[in-house]
Amino acid sequence: MASRKTQQPPAILILAAGRGQRMKSGRVKLLHNLAGAPMVCHVARIAARLEPSFLAAVVGNQADDVTSALSTEPGLDGAGLKFATQERQLGTAHAVLQAEPLLARAGVRKGVLLILNGDIPLIRVSTLKALLRHHRGSGASATVLTTKVDDPSGYGRVLRDAHGDLVSIVEDRDANASQKRISEINAGLYCADLTVLFDALRRTRKANAQGEHYLPDLFPILRKQGLRVEGYLHPDQDEVLGVNDRGELARASGILYRRKAEELMEAGVTIVDPGCTYIDPEVRVGRDSTIGPLARLEGRTTVGAGCSIGALAHITDSTIGDDVLVRDMCVVAGSTVGPGAKIGPFAHLRPGTVLESGVHIGNFVEVKKSRVGRGSKANHLAYLGDADIGEGCNVGAGTITCNYDGVHKHPTTLEDGVFIGSDTQLVAPVKVGRGAYIGAGSTITKDVPAGALALSRAQQRTIEGWAERRRQEREAGEPESPKRRKA
Ligand code: UD1
Ligand code: CA
């Protein structure tokens, strides 16, 4: 059983002040999108799941944007994230020092500080817990998570003595040829005892290739003080991938999507081709649902049980009930879809759409900010915007709600059981009463009372034999009379 000590939640600090030169971008590296969220938000989310006693990030480059990304991240609600500013990026040791006053103000002066580089988005909660356990169990003053990688270039290499004890970490740019061959690297995740951390960091020197105060220099400094330091070797090299350039960003995103697909398959979801399915980490999918190839499920999306999500469907921030059929190539954003609904192919549900149970939205139908009541159908080529549609309505092919007058948006209301004939324009604001019918091809500009039939199309004129007479005239070389042409 874990001792009381190992159960104490740690204080956590995320380093997020760097620029990320290797991205070759106008935007700081940590804001680059990875599986639906800025990279740094993945790290912060994982940190929050450890329920830390204190959680802060050090920001610097594009500080306002990084702060706002972290503050608005839904996964961090209530985590009480605080911010320290590093005005000039003088290195990772200097970055940690910027949080000292913040910790002091919060009354956090002892215990363990877990320090996380902001660019390690694949790290798992279980691994951080194992690092904490190792740190506390060994009684070390500082512990670094290490791993052995196939290609250690770019990382700090871990130097150990003849007993296998960690001595120091040498940065790639400071390493000599034999050190460069070491495959054990610093993952950029650390535990440190707060009573010794800051004094040791103040002793770091910038006599290195980058002229920076290196956080890993903490280890030899503590060792010289006779304190114990540890390197905790973790077996999974994928998990500690540091994202520094666009190639690593793509690799990280591939790993995250693969991981999510595996998690869902284990929970009873069929993923037709896990190699090309893009499901964000926070998305939930119920059992016996099937996800087709190239589907993207993003943000705060929930899919119920027994659903079928077709190929190339793109669903963002939406709630899909049980037994819903989303056919191929649908785009769904900010919408709620009730159980048993059928959508698509090629349907577009825009934010604010609510489809109640059993609704059918067919091909090339766009729905925006509208409610469609239980069992209603709009099966072909329609635009329904700012509409409130009751239960059991039938909206014919080509129906358009003319909701915009160039200045304002107006509502359309269809009460229960309304039948709208094909190719109808409903010029909003307009209301069609319960059970009313609209004849095909109508332009409806005035409210229609319950139970009525409204039609607004012109009378049809039929001229018998017209086509045959025209053919004969043509063959005879006669010019068409203006009168005839009109007819
Ligand atoms: C760092 C480690 C290296 C390790 C690697 C793991 C140092 C000196 N080196 O190298 O040993 O193998 O991570 O991925 O720590 N940051 C600040 N302020 C600064 C500098 C950096 O907040 O002044 C932040 C960055 O935003 C980033 C993190 O610290 O989130 C790491 O910085 P980065 O420049 O990526 O360090 P690496 O060169 O990758
Ligand atoms: Ca890095």
Side-chain angles (χ1 to χ4, degrees), residues 15-18 22 29-30 86 89-92 95 117-120 155-156 169 171 186-188 190 214 216 242 244:
L15 304 187
R22 287 163 276 180
K29 173 177 76 179
L30 295 178
Q86 184 190 27
Q89 283 64 60
L90 304 177
T92 43
N117 280 2
D119 61 352
I120 323 281
Y155 290 101
I169 291 163
E171 289 306 302
N186 163 19
Y190 318 81
Y214 290 163
N244 297 299

Side-chain angles (χ1 to χ4, degrees), residues 110-143:
K110 51 184 206 266
V112 180
L113 182 66
L114 179 61
I115 304 166
L116 312 174
N117 280 2
D119 61 352
I120 323 281
L122 303 180
I123 193 67
R124 290 178 195 265
V125 175
S126 55
T127 301
L128 294 178
K129 281 188 176 160
L131 170 64
L132 277 161
R133 259 199 311 276
H134 184 96
H135 174 76
R136 286 167 165 153
S138 70
S141 291
T143 305

Side-chain angles (χ1 to χ4, degrees), residues 161-177:
D161 65 15
H163 309 290
D165 290 337
L166 182 132
V167 175
S168 64
I169 291 163
V170 58
E171 289 306 302
D172 187 62
R173 292 212 247 166
D174 300 302
N176 62 34

